[in-house]
Amino acid sequence: MTVTRERPVSPDVPLSVASLPARVRQIAAETPDAIALREKEFGIWDETTYAGYWEMIQVVGAALMDLGVGPGDKVAIHSENRRAWVFSELAAHAIGAISVGVYPTNPAAEVEYLLNHSETVVLIAEDQEQVDKALLVKDHLSHLRHIVYLEPRGVVSYDDPMLLSWDEFIEMGRKRLASNPDEVERLVDQIDPESMACLVYTSGTTGPPKGAMISHRNLVWVMNHVVGSFVGRQPRRKEVLSYLPLCHIAEKLFTELFALETAATVNFSESIETVTSDLREVQPTTFLGVPRIWEKMQAGVVIRMMDASWLKRALFKAGVAVGMRNADHILEKGKRSLFGGILHGIFYVLVYRSLLDKLGMRHCGAPVSGAAPIAPEVLKFFMAIGLNMREGYGQTEGTGYATVNQEGNIKLGTVGPANVGAEVKLADDGEILVRHPGVFMGYFKNEEATLATISPDGWLHTGDVGEWDGEHMKIVDRKKDIIITAGGKNISPSEIENKLKVSPFIKEAIVLGDRRKFVSALIGIEYDTVSNWALRRGITFTTYRDLSEKPEVRDLVQGIVTALNQEFSQVEQVKQFRLIPKELDHEDGELTATQKVKRSAIAEMFGDLIGEIYGAV
């Protein structure tokens, strides 16, 4: 019998607005001087109010119309996160056009595929690097008519009729609005909530990315429900740090949907490399971290403690021990015990406050891990130092909305109960099925994949295998990634991989063993942590490869693998491993744009290492 878990919401509850641009307009009318967006210029935060946000949506929308963009046309944005990204996306929505996100790390070949497949007519490109990618393949882009570049350096000397600077583009929009000031606003009022708002391309771990068609209704419905489900109570001051690519549905969920629902301030990180320092500066009240961010944070704490005085190390060790006991009580009872609360207060002053300050988490009441599985041990570490950590689950095809652990009702190792308004159930083969008004319209130009993903009665087939732990959902693995050993045993590689990555010395782990006699792993070291460890022991090295080939490093990793094996049954234990001689990279085809490992590419790239493990065939 199939059991469905749901947190129903009345179907009669209307959408608050018809579109995201309409929501910006609403906030601008209510609190025009509230700060909507902050972006660094020459090291100083420059602010845009909600009134300014709405004005720029109208200006960019008018400029797009001046370039001939009309309803249903595609506008692609190829840039790091910044104000111009959201101005362009919401301006496209405002005039009935469709936005398409392109990852900054996409190489030229992928840019060609995405722009061709989406039939993009206007590309907003950040700088010379992104412009060059488009120009390299422009002869194969039959729909592309204009490229608007944001940064002029290196591009102003180009002589190509397609090119237009952002300043010229904005001036076009202002002139058009001057003669018809209500043009964009009238179009916003005409938006059909059922029409497509954006194309969000999947990561393409096993093939070309698919374009998920997300409607205005999908976006607004999730926007109206995300606060109660994801982040609960909110302080008066609401700050978000935007750093994951805005092409990713998880970042849209916070930078656009959560921020607009709560009228929060969005702070754009300078780059993925500056997230650590930006967190300290912004001290967000809500933060979505992918597992890699949380793992890197934890590894950073370990490195700092290695270099700390004996007193700080002792206090940290004691503080974590107390915190772990408190975390256990919270997980069992929903809150700390009276005595645990007193100890927490003492160690907050001695340890946690300073640590949270350095992590940029001191004011974060709603930290969430999502977008990929994470080891429970990592979450528990952050709970121990006082963060109210939750893990959630969602997919591009469901507008990022399905389940999340709730404050006071957290089960580590699960992604929580169904969100408000969402139905979640398991198919007979264990596949997770989700149904709610945020489920997407289908895949662009791919009816076969759409029919395989959405059932006639509206259930989204996620491709993930799960199991219930009471009302909480536990993700087992992707259906396609489950390993079936030569002996017929089903094994979840992600569970083993995440356990390995708990170690601050391990960055990547790819577990192998499908149709093999035993389980093995390819492991990539965490360079910063392992290099610090090596230098302390007088081990000299020159490069990542050189370090990973040191016998002492192999012994270090062997110890981690040996300890891990004690947690698994005999058939699940990692019998052999090899260290990857390089850091995995998107441009080399080993990772997707969302930093997920492409298993097929890894098998090809490191076939020699796999051959060593299992014997060349």
Side-chain angles (χ1 to χ4, degrees), residues 334-357:
K335 61 182 181 179
R336 299 183 188 93
S337 67
L338 177 60
F339 183 60
I342 294 170
L343 287 177
H344 174 81
I346 293 170
F347 278 99
Y348 179 80
V349 174
L350 295 175
V351 178
Y352 308 148
R353 180 173 57 190
S354 174
L355 188 54
L356 291 172
D357 237 1

Side-chain angles (χ1 to χ4, degrees), residues 65-140:
M65 285 191 290
D66 230 34
L67 293 181
V69 177
D73 284 338
K74 316 301 189 309
V75 176
I77 309 158
H78 194 183
S79 169
E80 300 280 359
N81 296 13
R82 55 192 296 164
R83 288 176 293 189
W85 216 111
V86 292
F87 292 157
S88 301
E89 172 152 71
L90 269 61
H93 294 185
I95 64 172
I98 296 161
S99 60
V100 181
V102 182
Y103 287 95
T105 53
N106 279 131
E110 291 183 17
V111 171
E112 178 185 348
Y113 174 82
L114 294 171
L115 298 187
N116 248 336
H117 186 268
S118 64
E119 303 174 0
T120 287
V121 297
V122 172
L123 170 66
I124 312 291
E126 182 170 36
D127 53 18
Q128 184 180 20
E129 178 187 0
Q130 312 304 1
V131 168
D132 285 347
K133 293 175 187 176
L135 293 179
L136 187 65
V137 299
K138 72 169 187 172
D139 292 341
H140 304 136

Side-chain angles (χ1 to χ4, degrees), residues 449-469:
T450 298
L451 292 173
T453 304
I454 308 177
S455 65
D457 52 356
W459 287 99
L460 170 64
H461 289 249
T462 66
D464 291 313
V465 175
E467 56 187 40
W468 289 112
D469 181 355

Side-chain angles (χ1 to χ4, degrees), residues 587-606:
E587 293 191 8
D588 291 339
E590 299 145 352
L591 299 173
T592 69
T594 56
Q595 302 299 295
K596 294 175 184 174
V597 171
K598 291 186 175 182
R599 292 181 183 271
S600 58
I602 293 296
E604 183 177 343
M605 184 77 67
F606 302 109

Side-chain angles (χ1 to χ4, degrees), residues 465-476:
V465 175
E467 56 187 40
W468 289 112
D469 181 355
E471 65 175 349
H472 289 63
M473 175 61 71
K474 179 181 179 182
I475 309 295
V476 175

